[in-house]
Amino acid sequence: MPVDTNRLRAAISPSAPPFSLNKIGHVVLMVENLERSIAFYTGVLGFKVSDIYGDDMMPGGMVFMRCNTDHHGVALIGGAAGPDNKRGLHHMAFEVSSLDDVIRARNHLRDSGATIVFEGRRRAGVQIAVEFLDPDGHNLEIYWGLDQIGTEGVARPSNEWRGAKSLEEAIANPPPGQIPMVRDKSLLAR
């Protein structure tokens, strides 16, 4: 059956969310052979490694890589082999300009009935984020405050990572150097 482009155009929403996405910030892929993939991304594409997780932090291991000053633009999770572990997209993340925008996004996603799977701060990169599912179950992230790696190429030490399981906790307990300023405090009252 041919695709009706008029129906597709009619599906474009005229409404705009109360926040603005800046860019696709990073993509996390599940790979079959982590060593082979690291060699490809670093040797063939020129990515630099920012951080590595062992099995104790992520089953199969994980590597965070960058091609600019962002802590990571691509991350790889190993062990995606066999019938239960599929290669492919783990999640895709979008950067916003302010912490207020992350909170607006969370509130808007809640109001829209989206399934939120995480909010707060994880570990490496220390960004404050909300993670959610799109209608097809793809895991997406909206974040602010991703660590930047300077010309010296040194990432934040792991003893400065501060995990948090809510946006409010992430704001209250920032890692050194991250200043989580909320301009519109009424956003937190929701």
Side-chain angles (χ1 to χ4, degrees):
M1 176 147 233
V3 173
D4 182 347
T5 56
N6 289 326
R7 286 185 62 191
L8 295 178
R9 283 186 182 87
I12 299 170
S13 176
S15 63
F19 57 90
S20 180
L21 303 177
N22 292 344
K23 65 180 182 178
I24 296 174
H26 61 267
V27 175
V28 179
L29 302 172
M30 297 178 296
V31 300
E32 184 175 334
N33 183 310
L34 191 54
E35 292 83 7
R36 179 184 67 199
S37 294
I38 292 169
F40 176 82
Y41 280 89
T42 59
V44 176
L45 296 179
F47 278 80
K48 304 292 183 211
V49 173
S50 298
D51 278 300
I52 296 176
Y53 290 173
D55 275 322
D56 59 327
M57 295 183 74
M58 174 65 75
M62 187 169 183
V63 63
F64 297 84
M65 297 176 292
R66 65 188 185 281
C67 61
N68 56 27
T69 59
D70 285 354
H71 178 271
H72 57 282
V74 172
L76 306 172
I77 299 172
D84 296 333
N85 298 310
K86 297 184 179 173
R87 292 174 301 218
L89 180 69
H90 181 273
H91 77 270
M92 179 170 52
F94 306 98
E95 179 190 75
V96 292
S97 296
S98 70
L99 185 50
D100 288 49
D101 276 341
V102 174
I103 300 167
R104 282 187 193 97
R106 178 197 58 189
N107 295 346
H108 180 68
L109 290 162
R110 282 179 180 167
D111 293 347
S112 299
T115 300
I116 296 175
V117 296
F118 177 82
E119 64 172 85
R121 184 187 305 105
R122 294 207 188 264
R123 297 171 292 220
V126 304
Q127 70 269 26
I128 297 176
V130 59
E131 297 174 14
F132 56 98
L133 302 178
D134 77 1
D136 288 305
H138 296 112
N139 193 3
L140 304 176
E141 173 185 346
I142 293 175
Y143 72 89
W144 167 87
L146 182 70
D147 272 349
Q148 298 296 297
I149 308 288
T151 55
E152 71 285 351
V154 178
R156 175 189 300 275
S158 61
N159 66 341
E160 292 185 4
W161 299 344
R162 297 242 173 99
K165 300 208 187 286
S166 71
L167 295 183
E168 290 76 11
E169 181 185 349
I171 292 164
N173 187 24
Q178 187 180 72
I179 303 169
M181 184 169 60
V182 178
R183 288 181 173 82
D184 182 354
K185 305 282 191 225
S186 71
L187 294 170
L188 294 170
R190 297 195 51 200

